[in-house]
Amino acid sequence: MDDPTPHDHPLRPRVVLTFPGQGAQHARMAAGLYGVSKSFTSTMDHAFDAFGPTGRTLREGWLAATPPPAFDDISYAQPLLYSVNCAMGTMLTEAGLRPDVLLGHSVGELAAATLAGVFSFDCGLRYLSEYIGIYRHAPRGGMLAVAASPREIEAHLVPGVVIGAVNAPRQVLLSAAEEALANVEAALRRAGITCARARALQPFHHPVMRDIATAHADSLTRPPLHPPHTTLYSAYTGQELHDETATDWQFWTGQPAEPVLFGPTLEYLLSTGPHLVVEAGPGQSLTALVRRTPAVARGDAAALALLPARASEPDADIEAVRAALKQLATLGRDPLSPDF
């Protein structure tokens, strides 16, 4: 594995932990850590217990060699992504890693906020459980990954279709209910624009979600919020999340209706100095985005994924984490002592 350390800088790079969102889920994501890492296992079991009877279904679907048909639905993907992200982040911090910055994508931002101390894991699980109940009322739809810039895509935005995420200069996600999404997909293909369905069955980051949240606002509890104890960047504001925003529940409950600006946020963060961006969640989708940034091309930043791109051999997850921790140790930080 290549040395990921940014070069030509006298300063030690800041370590950024990133957490992926909807679309990154896959069969047995990070399951190789379950039953091996005490911290990871404890966090996952805590989540399954917190979800009550649904927790057993979630665990079975997560560990199955072939995921259930509804695996990409909000009822599976969102709680599993949040739990796996938090479990991996907790495993790293308990091993002695002290990240300088936390940044998440979509539901990954909830995990980043949890690890930054904005709300507890239990509060996050309760909120997510209520969130799932509310957004089941969303129209069936999804998101479409398009290889084009926001400006290039504007001409194709028919009523009902919005840009739900900007992940890179020429990588956007469109969001819409199913009929409108199918129509815009067909039109883009006719125009010769590369596109593919993202793994989502609801129109996340679409204004329709705001209407649903307003109609069911009484269903959401408001647990206490705290200022982040670690620098937390938001892909909704495009910058560091200030205390007054982090402690405003309207900011968190409004996220499903707002576009994710992960690409611009990432580029802004990386412009502030040398960084090593570590993807602490399933897959390597965010790592791929980091590696295409100007900062990496200049040698000002580097990316490191903790896990393989997809489920592989039983020991692949542990081997990948061990290799990543060895590389992190080369940065001169405190020795890392994983629990496996």
Side-chain angles (χ1 to χ4, degrees), residues 194-266:
T194 301
C195 57
R197 287 291 183 108
R199 299 185 60 182
L201 300 181
Q202 283 83 21
F204 294 104
H205 310 297
H206 190 287
V208 70
M209 296 299 211
R210 186 178 299 112
D211 298 334
I212 294 168
T214 299
H216 299 273
D218 293 341
S219 300
L220 290 174
T221 57
R222 298 289 186 270
L225 298 174
H226 309 281
H229 57 58
T230 302
T231 300
L232 176 63
Y233 270 66
S234 172
Y236 296 93
T237 68
Q239 58 188 343
E240 182 178 344
L241 196 60
H242 299 300
D243 292 353
E244 59 270 24
T245 305
T247 53
D248 180 0
W249 262 110
Q250 289 189 338
F251 170 73
W252 298 104
T253 58
Q255 287 191 358
E258 299 299 327
V260 178
L261 305 176
F262 186 84
T265 305
L266 178 66

Side-chain angles (χ1 to χ4, degrees), residues 125-190:
L125 290 169
R126 186 184 316 121
Y127 166 72
L128 199 59
S129 179
E130 296 170 353
Y131 163 106
I132 290 167
I134 286 176
Y135 291 109
R136 281 178 175 168
H137 297 283
R140 186 170 181 81
M143 304 189 80
L144 185 71
V146 184
S149 68
R151 177 172 294 181
E152 291 171 320
I153 213 69
E154 282 179 357
H156 300 279
L157 294 182
V158 297
V161 179
V162 302
I163 294 177
V166 179
N167 290 333
R170 299 197 74 254
Q171 187 171 338
V172 302
L173 285 170
L174 300 184
S175 180
E178 181 55 39
E179 183 178 356
L181 196 66
N183 289 339
V184 76
E185 180 179 9
L188 289 170
R189 292 187 186 280
R190 287 194 300 269

